[in-house]
């Protein structure tokens, strides 16, 4: 259902609001009609007695009180008298209050009442037109106010087009099917309607048309009145008034109809009602015993308007007066939005739409919901809505079964010897829906041979023990397919006697195959998991042997060294970080840190290869730059083509110089006299990126008491923090270390600086003696 926002009114409040607004609109139209009539009468008094408008209204009130006439009737008499209506010979407007002479008393009461009614109707029609009423609504006002008292059945209002066709612009008292038949009347001399237009005068037919001519109306012999409608001296249309039978159209009736043709002409300005085709909808809906209505979509706004309600739907709507032609929101406000959405989908997809209940949420005190709603498209802008007044158990059960995958219902009548299957059952067993359903006791030929025993056991529980039971059997389809079908059934007992069996068939083939596949997969996963655990343990032991978390370092000339290794997250404990501190025969000390990209066995084997290669190359006596070049070639020929960053440094205790090179690694941190700074590394490419790469190195002079920090990216990198900010945090943490042994300060640094990328970390802290 569409979401109208948190502030959308609840259904009961919406219904109350629409009802209130509809009543207010009716009151407004009555007030406007009354005010219009009083304004006309007041204008006559002002002109004849030279009074102000306020004095004229007061005079009308006093005159109505003195004559015992309502103000509205008196106003109608005054306007009729001023306009020369024959039924009113004049009213003594100057008569004093309480006088006893009034020309109205001498007039024919019936003629006077008809004249008053006609004048009030004219005012009501003007008010309905001014408040936006459709042509049909205004025509209904004219019929109810002035024509029904004359026995009139229906009113037809035709607009004259530029091509002299007659288009049905408004109607009241007639069915949609009748209106469709007379939607257009082409020009022609044989048409009595066009002859009336040509004569430009009323045509009175007390016994209906003669000579086999056809005119609008349900009764061929019913009286007709054809009244040309004029606007500003031009005949713009035609009004047809029909009676259910012959009728004497006396002078008084003719005068009333002629007077009412004046407001009828103004109805044409209200606009023609939309065509009510297809005409077959109304009579079809009227034959249904369940509620139904035809809806038309307004092309410009998309709003739904009611074209027709059958009798059950009218009862459901509370017999709202003039519901045909009204917006759906006025008659069914609680479900208008939901039906609008279903109707839109139905028109777009050209497929019926369903809803179990509208509105979906129903509370105590709300109007009764619509059950089993079906919305059917019948054209580009029309839909038919059908529903039930209460829940249909059969349809509800069908919906319940539809929610369960591959489930079908069956019922065997053991007395009549018949069986019923739902549509899904035929698909499960691969049978033609046109063939008779197979009773449960004769289902064996549809099953595999070795399944007969299961079926017999099931039938025994049902027919002898009168207990419900279920089983799973294999069904052989005519197309060669095999289905695993679960049968669940219950006995139907009448007076203790078994009269039937009811139950469901469920195709559980997918479930059966899934269970087998899952069982095999579970076995394979168990084996794989054990193998992975052994492999993981071996790799972890290898890594711990090569890169221990807290190594025991030997004494080094002129240096103190503390190294730490922090593994990554538990599920990624094997990584590619490494460090090395190695005294060389030349008296210098190799200090190195590296990081192989990735995790797992490949990164560990790559790390071992590079670490051992660098150890061997360091004994050649080459400079750090040359060592990096050679290590790059080793990386290029290592299995898996890894890439790595690294720092290779040679410390000479003779002059406390650090000769070092970097391959795309993070900068070294130097802490001197409580102040920390990063050493700008040479701009060298990382290892394994390209063959024959050249590397440069540089020399940094160290002083006694200096502390040098080498590390990998797992120490500082954070997901939502820039690298510069992370390095600044490392620098500040180093400056806050304070006094203590080198091991203590190294542990403090590892605790205070922590990355969050789940990467492993190598940290080497070198103190110059």
């Amino acid at each position: 259902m569409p979401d109208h926002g948190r502030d959308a009114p609840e259904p009961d409040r919406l219904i109350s609001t629409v009802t209130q607004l509809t009543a207010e609109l009716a009151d407004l139209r009555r007030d406007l009609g009354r005010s219009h009539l009083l304004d006309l009468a007041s204008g006559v008094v002002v002109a004849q007695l030279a009074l102000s408008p306020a004095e004229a209204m007061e005079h009308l009130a006093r005159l109505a009180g003195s004559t015992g006439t309502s103000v509205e009737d008196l106003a109608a008499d005054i306007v009729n008298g001023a306009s020369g209506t024959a039924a009113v010979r004049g009213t003594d407007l100057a008569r004093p209050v309480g006088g006893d002479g009034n020309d109205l008393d001498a007039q024919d009461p019936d003629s006077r009442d008809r004249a008053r009614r006609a004048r009030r109707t004219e005012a009501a029609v003007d008010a309905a037109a001014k408040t936006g009423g459709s042509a049909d609504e205004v025509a209904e006002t004219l019929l109810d106010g002035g024509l029904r008292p004359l026995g009139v059945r229906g009113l037809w209002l035709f607009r004259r087009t530029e091509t002299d066709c007659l288009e049905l612009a408004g109607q009241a008292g007639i069915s949609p099917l009748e209106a469709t038949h007379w939607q257009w009347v082409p020009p022609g001399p044989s048409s009595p309607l066009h002859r009336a237009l040509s004569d430009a005068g009323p045509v009175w037919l007390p016994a209906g048309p003669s000579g086999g001519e056809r005119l609008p109306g349900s009764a061929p012999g019913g009286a007709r009145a054809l009244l040309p409608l004029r606007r500003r001296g031009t005949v713009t249309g035609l009004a047809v008034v029909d009676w259910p039978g012959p009728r004497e159209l006396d002078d008084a009736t003719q005068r009333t109809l002629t007077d009412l043709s004046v407001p009828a002409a103004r109805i044409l300005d209200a606009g023609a009602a939309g065509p009510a085709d297809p005409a077959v909808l109304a009579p079809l809906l009227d034959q249904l015993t369940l509620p139904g209505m035809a809806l038309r979509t307004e092309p410009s706004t998309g709003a739904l308007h009611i074209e027709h309600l059958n009798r059950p739907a009218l009862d459901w709507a509370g017999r709202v007066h003039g519901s045909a032609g009204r917006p759906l929101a006025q008659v069914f406000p609680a479900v208008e939005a939901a039906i609008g959405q279903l109707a839109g989908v139905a028109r777009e997809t050209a497929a019926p739409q369903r809803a179990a209940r509208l509105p979906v949420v129903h509370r105590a005190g709300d109007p009764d919901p619509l059950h089993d709603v079906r919305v059917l498209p019948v054209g580009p802008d029309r839909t038919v809505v059908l529903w039930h007044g209460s829940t249909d158990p059969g349809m509800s059960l069908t919906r319940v079964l539809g929610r369960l995958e591959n489930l079908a219902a069956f019922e065997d009548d053991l007395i009549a010897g018949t069986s019923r299957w739902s549509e899904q059952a035929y698909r499960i067993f691969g049978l033609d829906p046109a063939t008779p359903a197979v009773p449960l006791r004769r289902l064996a030929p549809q099953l595999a041979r070795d399944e007969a025993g299961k079926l017999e056991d099931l039938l025994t529980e049902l027919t002898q023990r009168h207990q419900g039971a279920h089983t799973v059997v294999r069904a052989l389809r005519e197309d060669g397919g095999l289905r695993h079908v679960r049968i669940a059934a219950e006995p139907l007992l009448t007076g203790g006697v078994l009269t039937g069996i009811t139950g469901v068939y469920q195709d559980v083939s997918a479930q059966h195959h899934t269970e087998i596949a899952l069982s095999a997969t579970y076995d394979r996963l168990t084996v794989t998991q054990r193998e992975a655990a052994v492999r993981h343990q071996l790799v972890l032991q290898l890594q711990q042997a090569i890169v221990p978390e807290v190594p025991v370092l030997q004494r080094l000339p002129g240096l103190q060294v503390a190294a730490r290794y922090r593994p990554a997250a538990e599920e990624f404990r094997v990584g590619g970080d490494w460090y090395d501190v190695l005294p060389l025969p030349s008296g210098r000390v190799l200090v190195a840190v590296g990081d192989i990209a990735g995790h797992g066995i490949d990164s560990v084997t790559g790390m071992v290869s590079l670490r051992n290669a660098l150890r061997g190359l360091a004994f050649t006596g080459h400079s750090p730059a040359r060592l990096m070049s050679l290590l790059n070639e080793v990386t290029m020929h290592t299995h898996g083509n890894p890439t790595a960053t690294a720092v290779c440094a040679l410390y000479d205790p003779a002059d406390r110089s650090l000769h070092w090179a970097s391959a795309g690694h993070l900068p070294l941190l130097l802490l001197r006299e409580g102040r920390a700074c990063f050493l700008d590394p040479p701009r060298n490419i990382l290892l394994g990126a390209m063959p024959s790469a050249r590397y440069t190195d540089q020399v940094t002079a160290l002083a006694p008491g200096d502390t040098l920090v080498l590390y990998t990216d797992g120490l500082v990198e954070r997901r939502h923090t820039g690298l510069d900010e992370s390095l600044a945090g490392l620098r500040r943490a180093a400056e806050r270390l304070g006094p203590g042994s080198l091991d203590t300060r190294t542990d403090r640094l590892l605790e205070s600086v922590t990355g969050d990328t789940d990467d492993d970390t190598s940290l080497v802290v070198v103190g110059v003696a």
Side-chain angles (χ1 to χ4, degrees):
M1 296 300 103
D3 183 7
H4 293 283
R6 288 176 293 178
D7 297 329
E10 297 178 354
D12 51 347
R13 294 177 56 192
L14 183 60
I15 294 173
S16 176
T17 301
V18 171
T19 303
Q20 180 181 355
L21 291 176
T22 303
E24 289 179 0
L25 179 60
D27 292 340
L28 175 62
R29 287 176 175 172
R30 283 193 294 270
D31 291 342
L32 284 177
R34 180 177 182 275
S35 298
H36 178 67
L37 186 57
L38 293 180
D39 288 343
L40 290 176
S42 177
V44 174
V45 173
V46 168
Q48 292 187 7
L49 302 182
L51 300 176
S52 67
E55 293 172 339
M57 292 299 294
E58 293 177 358
H59 184 79
L60 285 177
R62 291 195 300 269
L63 189 57
S66 66
T67 59
T69 307
S70 68
V71 176
E72 290 83 357
D73 286 345
L74 179 62
D77 291 339
I78 292 173
V79 175
N80 286 334
S83 62
T85 301
V88 180
R89 294 189 296 273
T91 301
D92 185 5
L93 299 180
R95 178 188 174 197
V97 177
D100 55 0
N102 188 358
D103 292 337
L104 294 177
D105 295 336
Q107 296 172 6
D108 178 23
D110 291 338
S111 299
R112 185 176 66 243
D113 289 343
R114 281 197 297 267
R116 288 172 174 173
R117 188 165 54 246
R119 190 60 64 184
R120 288 197 302 268
T121 300
E122 180 180 3
V125 168
D126 285 338
K130 289 177 181 178
T131 54
S134 65
D136 288 345
E137 288 180 318
V138 181
E140 188 74 31
T141 300
L142 184 59
L143 178 65
D144 288 341
L147 299 181
R148 288 197 194 277
L150 301 179
V152 173
R153 182 196 76 100
L155 172 64
W156 311 69
L157 300 174
F158 292 93
R159 178 185 289 107
R160 189 177 194 176
T161 68
E162 295 180 355
T163 58
D164 215 27
C165 285
L166 288 177
E167 176 191 8
L168 184 61
Q171 48 85 17
I174 60 178
S175 68
L177 183 60
E178 289 181 274
T180 302
H181 290 166
W182 292 95
Q183 191 62 47
W184 290 93
V185 180
S190 60
S191 169
L193 300 178
H194 282 86
R195 288 202 303 269
L197 286 179
S198 301
D199 296 342
V203 177
W204 311 105
L205 303 173
S210 60
E213 293 181 327
R214 295 183 64 249
L215 284 175
S218 59
R224 305 287 198 281
L226 312 182
L227 306 169
L229 304 178
R230 290 180 173 81
R231 292 288 285 166
R232 301 178 185 88
T234 303
V235 177
T236 59
L238 186 72
V240 177
V241 182
D242 77 88
W243 284 262
R247 183 182 180 90
E248 179 182 358
L249 304 179
D250 55 20
D251 292 342
T253 300
Q254 293 183 15
R255 285 196 302 271
T256 301
L257 293 177
T258 302
D259 291 341
L260 291 177
S261 66
V262 176
R266 289 196 287 273
I267 293 179
L268 299 182
D269 294 337
D277 52 296
V280 73
L281 287 180
L284 281 179
L285 290 176
D286 289 340
Q287 300 306 310
L288 300 178
T289 58
L290 73 159
M293 61 182 169
L295 303 177
R296 176 177 54 85
T297 304
E298 187 68 32
S300 59
T301 63
L304 293 175
H305 291 262
I306 297 176
E307 283 193 332
H308 182 71
L309 292 171
N310 63 5
R311 181 59 61 85
L314 277 172
D315 294 338
W316 192 266
R319 292 194 170 272
V320 176
H321 177 67
S323 54
R326 290 189 179 214
L328 179 64
Q330 290 186 7
V331 184
F332 293 94
V335 297
E336 181 269 339
I339 291 180
Q341 183 184 31
L342 293 174
V345 175
R347 293 193 305 271
E348 291 176 3
T349 61
Q353 301 298 309
R354 292 176 177 266
R357 185 175 70 183
L358 295 179
V360 177
V361 178
H362 181 262
R363 299 184 305 272
D366 288 350
D368 292 340
L370 281 59
H371 296 275
D372 303 320
V373 181
R374 283 142 292 166
V375 181
L376 316 175
V378 292
D381 59 350
R382 280 178 173 79
T383 48
V384 168
V385 181
L386 306 174
W387 70 92
H388 286 81
S390 59
T391 303
D392 186 333
M395 297 186 68
S396 297
L397 178 60
T398 301
R399 287 196 302 271
V400 170
L401 294 179
R403 294 189 182 100
L404 302 177
E405 184 178 4
N406 299 326
L407 200 64
F410 73 90
E411 183 177 340
D412 295 344
D413 188 338
L414 302 182
I415 303 301
T418 59
S419 182
R420 291 189 303 167
W421 280 6
S422 65
E423 181 181 354
Q424 184 69 14
Y426 290 93
R427 290 198 291 268
I428 291 176
F429 290 99
L431 299 177
D432 186 351
T435 61
V438 181
L440 183 63
R441 64 183 182 278
R442 298 178 184 172
L443 195 63
Q446 307 296 327
L447 307 180
R449 291 183 179 180
D450 54 352
E451 301 288 1
K454 293 184 179 179
L455 182 61
E456 287 297 329
D457 292 341
L458 177 66
L459 290 171
T460 298
E461 292 291 326
L462 295 169
T463 60
Q464 297 182 16
R465 297 187 177 90
H466 294 176
Q467 294 180 356
H470 67 91
T471 187
V472 177
V473 296
R474 289 174 296 150
L476 299 176
R477 295 163 52 100
E478 293 183 357
D479 57 8
L482 176 68
R483 292 288 185 272
H484 288 79
V485 180
R486 174 180 286 115
I487 306 174
E490 287 286 336
L492 299 177
L493 303 175
T494 303
V497 178
L498 181 68
T499 58
I501 298 173
T502 185
V504 293
Y505 298 123
Q506 184 181 21
D507 186 350
V508 295
S509 302
Q511 177 183 344
H512 180 77
H513 296 155
T514 300
E515 289 175 354
I516 295 176
L518 284 176
S519 177
T521 302
Y522 178 78
D523 293 340
R524 293 184 60 184
L525 285 176
T526 302
V527 175
T528 303
Q529 186 176 19
R530 287 198 296 265
E531 293 175 350
V534 173
R535 184 184 182 200
H536 178 82
Q537 187 64 30
L538 291 175
V539 173
L540 186 59
Q541 291 174 355
L542 173 63
Q543 183 192 45
Q544 290 288 344
I546 299 172
V547 188
E549 295 186 13
V550 183
V552 178
L553 299 176
Q554 57 185 314
R555 297 182 63 86
L556 301 171
L559 293 177
Q560 289 181 323
V561 180
R564 299 291 185 267
Y565 175 76
R566 182 169 60 197
E570 185 68 24
E571 61 270 25
F572 298 115
R573 287 188 63 87
V574 288
D577 284 16
W578 90 88
Y579 60 86
D580 203 356
V581 180
L582 177 68
L584 300 175
S586 62
R588 293 186 294 179
V589 179
L590 171 69
V591 181
V593 171
D595 184 4
I596 295 283
H599 295 89
I601 186 64
D602 291 336
S603 64
V604 171
T605 55
M607 175 267 289
V608 173
S609 298
L610 297 188
R611 182 176 184 271
N612 291 338
L614 182 59
R615 275 198 158 208
L617 292 171
F619 283 89
T620 63
H622 289 306
S623 67
R626 181 57 180 161
L627 292 177
M628 282 297 189
S629 297
L630 295 174
L631 191 60
N632 180 63
E633 296 304 317
V634 173
T635 308
M636 297 295 300
H637 292 84
T638 298
H639 175 72
N641 299 319
T643 59
T645 66
V647 171
C648 175
L650 294 176
Y651 175 72
D652 190 345
D655 58 0
R656 296 189 181 91
S657 62
L658 186 72
H659 197 184
W660 62 287
S662 174
H665 203 77
L666 294 172
L668 279 62
L669 179 67
L670 176 61
L671 181 63
R672 176 176 291 171
E673 296 179 354
R675 303 289 295 176
C677 66
F678 289 102
L679 301 180
D680 190 18
R683 305 301 180 184
N684 296 326
I685 194 169
L686 71 157
L687 301 174
M690 60 181 295
S692 303
R694 287 186 171 274
Y695 291 83
T696 60
D697 53 23
Q698 63 188 45
V699 179
T700 301
L702 300 179
D706 285 353
T707 301
L708 193 65
V709 181
L710 296 84
Y711 54 94
T712 56
D713 54 7
L715 179 68
V716 295
E717 284 188 345
R718 302 186 66 83
R719 291 186 179 90
H720 305 294
T721 304
L723 182 58
D724 290 342
E725 185 177 347
S726 297
L727 292 176
L730 173 62
R731 178 178 55 79
R732 291 190 297 269
E735 291 177 346
R736 291 194 301 265
L737 289 178
S741 66
L742 190 65
D743 283 332
T744 300
R745 298 167 70 202
T746 301
D747 290 336
R748 289 178 188 167
L749 186 61
L750 191 63
E751 292 174 359
S752 59
V753 182
T754 305
D756 65 357
T757 58
D758 293 332
D759 201 0
D760 45 355
T761 299
S762 291
L763 174 64
V764 178
V765 180
V766 179
V768 181

